[in-house]
Structures are given as structure tokens and as C-alpha cells.
Amino acid sequence: MKSLFTIMFLLLAVLAPGLVNAQSKLTEEKKKELQEKFETYKTELNLTEAQQEKVKVINTAYFEELAGIKESGGSKLAKLKAFRKLSDKRDKEMKAVLDKDQYAVYQKMQQEMKKEIRSKRT
């Protein structure tokens, strides 16, 4: 398990420079949203320095892929499926980075965000 985690970390370290360039494709509004989300995670989850770097990489990749889904020409159902798959991927990556207590807080934050989004729809 530890070697898998090490391999994932090294892979992220190798890919991180490409993600930084990809981030420049985000609009200023999305860059600001990304930074705000990171600051929220950093504070609410009490992230260590090592965790901060990993979470930043995960969130940058998530926002980039999310922007791609939003811009795609697929149906709403296809976009919803892609979004759910992307969210599941991010949750698994976050679970690998966070400890048990931090992940519980993260899940609670995600549930609150879902409730907020649903309340805006109605």
C-alpha cells in the first residue's frame, strides 16, 4: 500500500508541471474559485504542508476536467455521468491523501455543497 502511495505521489510530481500549464486555461473566475476551494480545504481540514501540495494538484486537475465537461457538446445525461465519475475519482484521490478524520470532514463538506447546489435549483 505504501509503495502504491509512493508511486502515485511520484506520478503526480511528474505530471504537476503539466497541470500548472493546464491551469492557465482556466478563466480568472475559475482560478479564483480554485484558490478559494483550496483555502477552505487547507483551513477546514487542517492540512499539513505535504497534504497541501497534493490537494492542490488534485483540485487543479479536477477543475480542469470539470471545465472540459462543461464545454463538451454532450447531452445533459452524458455530462452528469462524466461529472459523477470525475467526482468519484477526486474523492478516491482525496481519501488517499487525508487521514480518517480529515476525510470525514471532507465528506461532510461535500454533502453541504450538494445541499447548497440543490437549494439554488429550486
Side-chain angles (χ1 to χ4, degrees), residues 19-52:
L19 292 174
V20 171
N21 289 337
Q23 183 180 354
S24 65
K25 296 177 185 175
L26 293 173
T27 64
E28 290 301 316
E29 181 179 323
K30 290 296 177 187
K31 287 180 185 178
K32 183 178 177 185
E33 184 180 346
L34 174 62
Q35 185 61 35
E36 288 172 359
K37 181 65 77 176
F38 173 72
E39 291 298 325
T40 301
Y41 285 155
K42 182 176 158 183
T43 304
E44 295 291 322
L45 300 174
N46 195 25
L47 299 174
T48 64
E49 291 291 324
Q51 287 175 320
Q52 288 178 31

Side-chain angles (χ1 to χ4, degrees), residues 6-122:
T6 304
I7 291 170
M8 285 181 57
F9 179 74
L10 292 173
L11 182 61
L12 287 173
V14 170
L15 296 175
L19 292 174
V20 171
N21 289 337
Q23 183 180 354
S24 65
K25 296 177 185 175
L26 293 173
T27 64
E28 290 301 316
E29 181 179 323
K30 290 296 177 187
K31 287 180 185 178
K32 183 178 177 185
E33 184 180 346
L34 174 62
Q35 185 61 35
E36 288 172 359
K37 181 65 77 176
F38 173 72
E39 291 298 325
T40 301
Y41 285 155
K42 182 176 158 183
T43 304
E44 295 291 322
L45 300 174
N46 195 25
L47 299 174
T48 64
E49 291 291 324
Q51 287 175 320
Q52 288 178 31
E53 291 302 316
K54 294 172 189 172
V55 167
K56 190 176 266 189
V57 170
I58 291 168
N59 277 335
T60 301
Y62 174 80
F63 271 77
E64 277 295 319
E65 291 183 52
L66 184 61
I69 291 170
K70 288 179 179 179
E71 293 173 0
S72 71
S75 68
K76 286 185 179 183
L77 181 59
K79 288 181 181 182
L80 179 61
K81 286 181 180 180
F83 170 73
R84 285 186 178 160
K85 185 177 178 181
L86 178 61
S87 293
D88 289 345
K89 176 184 168 190
R90 179 175 71 163
D91 288 346
K92 287 177 185 174
E93 291 173 347
M94 292 292 282
K95 189 173 187 175
V97 171
L98 304 174
D99 66 30
K100 187 177 180 180
D101 294 334
Q102 288 172 318
Y103 189 71
V105 173
Y106 167 78
Q107 287 180 312
K108 185 177 179 182
M109 291 169 64
Q110 295 302 310
Q111 290 300 319
E112 290 173 4
M113 185 180 68
K114 286 178 185 178
K115 286 180 185 176
E116 185 179 317
I117 289 171
R118 287 182 183 136
S119 70
K120 288 181 181 179
R121 287 185 189 168
T122 58

